[in-house]
Amino acid sequence: MGRVDGELPHASLVVKGVCFWFIPPPSWIEGPCVIPEVRGRKVPGCSVWIPPLSVMQPMLPPGIQLTDTLEQMQQGTLMRKVKSKSWKKQRYFKLQEDCMTIWYQSKRTGKTESAFSISDVETVREGHQSEVLQSVAEEFPPERCFTIVFYGRRGNLDLIAGSAEEAQCWVQGLRQLIEVATTMDQREKIDQWIRDWFQKADKNKDGRMTFKEVQRLLKMMNVDMNEDHALRLFQDADKSESGTLEGEEFVLFYKALTQREEVLSLFQEFSEDGKKLTLLELVDFLREEQLEDEGTEELAMELIDKYEPSETARARHVLSADGFLMYLCSVEGSIFNPQHRVLCQDMSQPLCHYFISSSHNTYLIEDQIRGHSSIEGYIRALKRGCRCLEVDCWDGPNGEPMVYHGHTFTSKIPFREVVNTLGKYAFKTSDYPVILSLENHCSMEQQDVLAQQLKDILGEQLLTTTIDGHVPTQLPSPEELKHKILLKAKKIGRLEDTLDGPGDEAPDVSDEDNGAEAEEERRRAKKDKETLAQALSDCVVYCKNVPFQGFQVARSHSRPSEISSLSEAKARKLIRDEGNEFVRHNAWQLTRIYPSGMRTDSSNYSPQEMWNVGCQIVALNFQTAGMEMDLCDGLFSQNGCSGYVLKPPFMRDKETLFNPNDPSSWEGPGPITLTIQVISGQQLPKVANSKEGAIIDPLVRVEVYGVPADQAHQETKYIENNGFNPRWDETLQFQLHVPELALIRFVVEDYDKTSRNDFVGQFTLAFANIKPGYRHIHLLSKDGTSISPSSLFVHICITEPPGPEQD
């Protein structure tokens, strides 16, 4: 690497003729500091930017001011960890010097029990805001209680401080640190990541690393390196010849380890002098490789301003190699089109024209036989953008309805608590309507209580009449129902019976068939009156539960405000036998699909086959990680995580010919070709519960989900003993006949020749959200949470079929 007009690039170093890269934090780039010596010793042939302070010394991450609150947390606090009303044990909690790690130990044994990173914490709740803390509310005042909530499916940590002041210290301090962790840029995250690794490997905490500690670190980082090569890197970095790596010496070692030859090669391809990209060279790269065709010069300027660490280079509108790498690792360099992350779809179509994020048995956070029922299930689902929740209600003691899975050993929670939680969290992630799917097993008396609690707690949020006072000829839109909660349940009679005068939906009883149907409806309404409280029935407007009697019967009634629920098995049969009718039905009426009752382990079915026929409410067990929930998260990660995704036009037409199982019904000139070059991986995590010292043999599998003809998967070879920086350089290719419905899942696995491969990480997105060109894929854990800085580097090419020839 050379200089940019005499200035040394911030993220490069040359040792013995070999070029290495690294990304410094902003604090390192205060002024030019070309190093002629390190600790008084000359460094032959070495030019490098060195931080003014060692990253390994107790140094605060960028953005953190060491306040009295944080200092108090660093001194440590004795608090009660609470798991239940009877399990309350004292633990000593302490914020580590890096201000990014908290560990706690048993008061009795003195052993460190656990530790967690601030980056794992989603939020902190004050007071009795968990069922566990509510159970001890009479014993401990709310001002001493707080809950630490983690990302993913990890359980909460409920704590009771010795005083209100101590509780406030931890609540405010944690919130300050969470804010810093969530706003770190890519450079700061990598800086923190280096710091974390050093502290893990520095066994005796003396701020130095011996070669033995370095070898241990390499194993921890998923690197299997020849001992001679590792020693050579170690000795190259040990400029003081002390036999240990200190401060900037470790930085040199780490940067030598993390060189990205594939990125440097790409950079030099577009750079005339191999040292920088001029504005025009960057524009060429963006147009030719990234296929950015609108406002490319403005985009190039923005990228330089945002990612070039050198002020001089920014002033000259050029991008150095480290700036180029920063761009490729950023949101703009991600495979997911950033314009699709925000709300970007038409929200004024009828509800039935959207796929709706939906949960089954939302109250469960474990299995369906002995699992724990919790309001936490509702909070987690709503925070993920879920817009249809399920609640199973049964008679409870003292006239209070309870929520649980009937005829099982699952625990119970009061319906009132569920509704309170719904009122509080319904619109924190999305402004668009929530559908509450009610399984009602209550007596008439407790049904009245259900209705009263819904009205009293939700107030104006609960929709109790049509938006215009008229019988609907089509469902209202998400836009029209913003901030509204819709009850989905049984209803006495027809919707028009509760409005003024007969509506458009009133059945014509002039012929014999319709007369028989009307008689059947009257009989059913009479039966409902005997088992359904009028007050609860009146809360149901646009989502009246009706039994499914066939597509023809539904069409003859033509009531868009009715909805049928189908088991996965019933839905599959209809897809197989009447695929096109199913698509047409879902163009004007809602359908809910739910898992088989045989799934007692709360496993999931694939939602894709249900989406293929336009089913909107495809309910999944959100508490169960796996491919099925990855698909759900992948589909609903677009459009601002609103929980609503607009169906393709051919699925919104009541007369559509589309059938996912019949290729002759598909429109379009032919299949799209998706070509994926899997280039490399970066800092892949170890497999959970693996043997100490074990290093993964990673492979990448790309899976396509869509109509049956598009379902496919291909995988790379595995790379032996390298989870740190594996190189595959393999090309995979897929044909997509209905790309509008396709989801692409990237999975990294640890190859095992004797048993099933182990999961390492994944990322799933809709094909429509893919950006072509050179892209990083930022991997997620099994729980769908970030495992930064783990990523894949790929090249994406999308080839449209040739259009019809012009005469």
Side-chain angles (χ1 to χ4, degrees):
M1 291 290 300
R3 303 163 188 261
V4 178
D5 268 19
E7 181 184 37
L8 182 75
H10 294 73
S12 64
L13 81 101
V14 181
V15 179
K16 297 191 177 176
V18 181
C19 174
F20 300 118
W21 293 39
F22 69 96
I23 306 164
S27 60
W28 296 11
I29 313 168
E30 294 304 318
C33 181
V34 179
I35 304 299
E37 57 183 359
V38 176
R39 257 189 289 285
R41 295 187 65 89
K42 205 75 171 155
V43 185
C46 177
S47 300
V48 62
W49 287 83
I50 293 292
L53 290 170
S54 162
V55 286
M56 268 52 68
Q57 299 306 319
M59 179 174 125
L60 296 179
I64 293 182
Q65 302 283 328
L66 192 58
T67 60
D68 291 344
T69 297
L70 296 184
E71 284 185 342
Q72 191 176 331
M73 291 168 70
Q74 286 182 339
Q75 289 165 13
T77 308
L78 196 62
M79 294 187 277
R80 281 184 175 89
K81 178 183 174 184
V82 189
K83 287 187 177 179
S84 68
K85 195 169 185 177
S86 58
W87 198 103
K88 303 182 287 285
K89 298 193 177 177
Q90 288 194 318
R91 296 288 183 265
Y92 184 65
F93 287 80
K94 186 176 180 182
L95 176 66
Q96 298 301 284
E97 288 180 326
D98 67 350
C99 282
M100 280 285 129
T101 313
I102 289 168
W103 62 250
Y104 54 97
Q105 64 184 25
S106 166
K107 184 191 176 192
R108 185 174 58 82
T109 65
K111 289 181 180 176
T112 299
E113 187 175 287
S114 191
F116 59 87
S117 169
I118 294 294
S119 59
D120 294 332
V121 180
E122 182 179 358
T123 189
V124 181
R125 300 187 201 139
E126 294 182 71
H128 301 141
Q129 289 203 60
S130 74
E131 289 135 312
V132 169
L133 290 177
Q134 284 169 9
S135 72
V136 297
E138 292 180 8
E139 196 177 348
F140 300 99
E143 55 269 20
R144 286 174 55 192
C145 301
F146 63 98
T147 302
I148 297 175
V149 181
F150 297 95
Y151 286 107
R153 294 172 176 83
R154 180 173 175 175
N156 295 345
L157 185 57
D158 290 302
L159 300 173
I160 301 170
S163 67
E165 292 73 27
E166 282 183 348
Q168 268 307 299
C169 168
W170 278 83
V171 168
Q172 296 307 321
L174 284 167
R175 285 177 176 165
Q176 178 191 342
L177 296 174
I178 292 166
E179 173 69 17
V180 170
T182 53
T183 55
M184 276 185 182
D185 64 24
Q186 191 74 10
R187 271 175 285 182
E188 291 163 344
K189 283 179 183 174
I190 292 176
D191 180 27
Q192 183 61 40
W193 194 74
I194 299 172
R195 195 191 320 263
D196 288 346
W197 277 119
F198 185 91
Q199 290 179 346
K200 284 178 189 173
D202 184 16
K203 266 294 201 188
N204 58 5
K205 307 301 177 194
D206 64 353
R208 305 171 180 220
M209 288 187 64
T210 63
F211 181 60
K212 189 175 180 181
E213 285 177 321
V214 164
Q215 285 181 298
R216 181 172 173 271
L217 172 68
L218 292 174
K219 294 282 186 188
M220 289 166 64
M221 295 173 90
N222 248 331
V223 182
D224 182 31
M225 187 177 286
N226 172 282
E227 187 172 331
D228 291 340
H229 183 52
L231 182 60
R232 196 158 55 249
L233 289 180
F234 180 90
Q235 290 170 339
D236 285 346
D238 180 19
K239 302 303 175 187
S240 61
E241 298 180 5
S242 64
T244 61
L245 300 184
E246 303 173 56
E248 65 270 15
E249 292 177 334
F250 177 74
V251 175
L252 295 183
F253 174 79
Y254 175 80
K255 304 316 174 187
L257 202 61
T258 54
Q259 57 182 307
R260 294 283 303 272
E261 290 175 358
E262 76 280 25
V263 176
L264 180 59
S265 162
L266 179 62
F267 174 83
Q268 291 174 336
E269 218 177 289
F270 283 83
S271 167
E272 188 177 344
D273 63 5
K275 304 170 187 176
K276 65 182 180 299
L277 287 177
T278 65
L279 183 63
L280 289 179
E281 286 171 342
L282 179 56
V283 167
D284 285 345
F285 171 75
L286 294 173
R287 283 181 179 154
E288 291 174 28
E289 294 294 350
Q290 309 299 74
L291 302 189
E292 303 282 2
D293 52 3
E294 291 182 14
T296 318
E297 286 195 19
E298 291 82 354
L299 174 61
M301 286 289 291
E302 284 173 23
L303 295 177
I304 291 170
D305 287 343
K306 196 169 179 181
Y307 299 113
E308 175 51 56
S310 160
E311 285 185 25
T312 307
R314 281 200 304 271
R316 295 185 54 246
H317 305 318
V318 298
L319 192 68
S320 62
D322 49 315
F324 182 68
L325 178 60
M326 286 303 303
Y327 151 62
L328 287 175
C329 291
S330 73
V331 170
E332 288 89 348
S334 161
I335 191 172
F336 198 113
N337 188 335
Q339 294 177 354
H340 294 187
R341 283 278 186 200
V342 297
L343 195 71
C344 57
Q345 296 179 354
D346 176 8
M347 301 302 282
S348 64
Q349 305 253 348
L351 273 186
C352 53
H353 286 182
Y354 298 84
F355 297 120
I356 303 172
S357 178
S358 307
S359 162
H360 176 248
N361 287 350
T362 315
Y363 47 88
L364 290 179
I365 54 175
E366 295 168 35
D367 68 62
Q368 300 182 23
I369 301 299
R370 298 177 182 273
H372 181 55
S373 301
S374 170
I375 56 170
E376 211 56 53
Y378 291 94
I379 296 172
R380 290 178 187 176
L382 288 166
K383 282 193 168 181
R384 287 174 85 159
C386 181
R387 297 288 87 188
C388 182
L389 311 170
E390 186 182 17
V391 57
D392 281 12
C393 293
W394 301 78
D395 280 0
N398 307 315
E400 282 277 333
M402 303 297 286
V403 174
Y404 63 99
H405 200 49
H407 312 300
T408 65
F409 299 103
T410 58
S411 58
K412 305 174 183 181
I413 45 177
F415 180 72
R416 179 190 302 275
E417 284 186 23
V418 173
V419 182
N420 271 318
T421 301
L422 182 57
K424 184 173 181 181
Y425 289 94
F427 303 108
K428 286 203 169 183
T429 298
S430 169
D431 294 332
Y432 292 99
V434 171
I435 298 169
L436 186 63
S437 181
L438 177 67
E439 289 286 331
N440 174 16
H441 307 280
C442 292
S443 62
M444 294 284 272
E445 294 75 22
Q446 293 210 10
Q447 286 182 42
D448 282 326
V449 177
L450 292 176
Q452 199 58 49
Q453 290 181 352
L454 284 166
K455 291 173 185 172
D456 290 349
I457 296 169
L458 299 179
E460 290 295 307
Q461 287 182 321
L462 182 68
L463 189 79
T464 54
T465 186
T466 57
I467 56 173
D468 57 4
H470 296 103
V471 179
T473 54
Q474 67 175 25
L475 284 165
S477 69
E479 190 66 36
E480 291 171 309
L481 293 170
K482 258 185 174 180
H483 301 117
K484 289 295 181 185
I485 295 170
L486 283 62
L487 186 64
K488 172 191 162 297
K490 288 183 178 178
K491 184 176 181 67
I492 299 169
R494 301 170 302 175
L495 178 58
E496 56 265 34
D497 298 335
T498 62
L499 300 169
D500 293 335
D504 301 331
E505 296 187 31
D508 180 359
V509 294
S510 57
D511 61 50
E512 189 177 321
D513 288 341
N514 282 343
E517 283 179 20
E519 184 59 39
E520 172 62 22
E521 285 193 4
R522 280 190 287 270
R523 187 192 64 75
R524 196 178 301 136
K526 185 179 178 183
K527 184 182 176 185
D528 286 342
K529 278 185 181 177
E530 295 169 2
T531 57
L532 191 59
Q534 187 67 50
L536 187 60
S537 170
D538 290 345
C539 293
V540 179
V541 183
Y542 290 116
C543 295
K544 175 190 172 181
N545 275 354
V546 296
F548 181 74
Q549 297 178 296
F551 297 124
Q552 296 309 318
V553 171
R555 189 170 279 222
S556 68
H557 289 168
S558 189
R559 293 187 190 127
S561 60
E562 293 182 345
I563 176 172
S564 296
S565 290
L566 304 172
S567 71
E568 57 175 291
K570 175 69 173 172
R572 280 197 198 96
K573 187 174 188 311
L574 290 170
I575 292 168
R576 188 173 64 246
D577 298 343
E578 301 179 77
N580 175 246
E581 278 299 317
F582 211 163
V583 178
R584 290 184 174 195
H585 175 81
N586 288 324
W588 65 275
Q589 193 175 80
L590 292 170
T591 302
R592 177 177 177 269
I593 312 296
Y594 58 90
S596 161
M598 301 300 288
R599 294 183 182 273
T600 54
D601 59 351
S602 291
S603 60
N604 281 310
Y605 57 93
S606 171
Q608 186 67 50
E609 56 189 329
M610 313 303 173
W611 292 330
N612 285 345
V613 288
C615 294
Q616 304 87 352
I617 302 177
V618 180
L620 297 176
N621 290 301
F622 270 44
Q623 72 272 29
T624 306
M627 172 273 289
E628 299 84 4
M629 274 308 300
D630 293 344
L631 295 181
C632 182
D633 289 341
L635 179 66
F636 291 105
S637 56
Q638 61 185 309
N639 202 31
C641 290
S642 63
Y644 286 84
V645 170
L646 189 62
K647 296 196 285 188
F650 57 80
M651 303 191 95
R652 309 196 303 257
D653 176 6
K654 285 190 273 190
E655 304 303 323
T656 183
L657 299 176
F658 179 76
N659 181 344
N661 300 313
D662 179 8
S664 68
S665 70
W666 306 338
E667 298 176 1
I672 280 175
T673 302
L674 171 64
T675 306
I676 301 168
Q677 184 191 2
V678 181
I679 302 169
S680 62
Q682 294 76 44
Q683 288 95 52
L684 303 177
K686 281 184 156 321
V687 170
N689 305 318
S690 59
K691 294 177 187 173
E692 189 174 349
I695 294 179
I696 66 170
D697 304 327
L699 63 82
V700 178
R701 187 170 61 255
V702 179
E703 302 168 348
V704 177
Y705 296 87
V707 297
D710 288 349
Q711 296 271 141
H713 62 85
Q714 295 178 37
E715 61 187 43
T716 67
K717 61 182 181 293
Y718 67 90
I719 304 296
E720 213 166 323
N721 290 335
N722 187 354
F724 190 71
N725 54 359
R727 282 287 295 269
W728 291 280
D729 292 314
E730 288 192 54
T731 300
L732 313 176
Q733 199 167 77
F734 302 91
Q735 302 290 310
L736 304 180
H737 299 81
V738 188
E740 298 91 339
L741 289 173
L743 286 164
I744 314 298
R745 182 172 183 249
F746 295 85
V747 192
V748 181
E749 289 184 342
D750 178 16
Y751 173 76
D752 193 322
K753 62 185 174 189
T754 59
S755 62
R756 190 173 176 181
N757 292 350
D758 290 311
F759 175 89
V760 174
Q762 66 83 30
F763 188 79
T764 308
L765 75 168
F767 171 79
N769 297 325
I770 289 179
K771 287 278 279 184
Y774 286 96
R775 303 289 168 185
H776 275 92
I777 298 169
H778 300 283
L779 295 172
L780 304 176
S781 70
K782 206 167 217 170
D783 278 346
T785 56
S786 169
I787 46 176
S788 179
S790 301
S791 64
L792 297 175
F793 186 47
V794 300
H795 181 267
I796 304 288
C797 179
I798 297 168
T799 311
E800 303 274 351
E805 290 185 13
Q806 301 294 319
D807 291 335

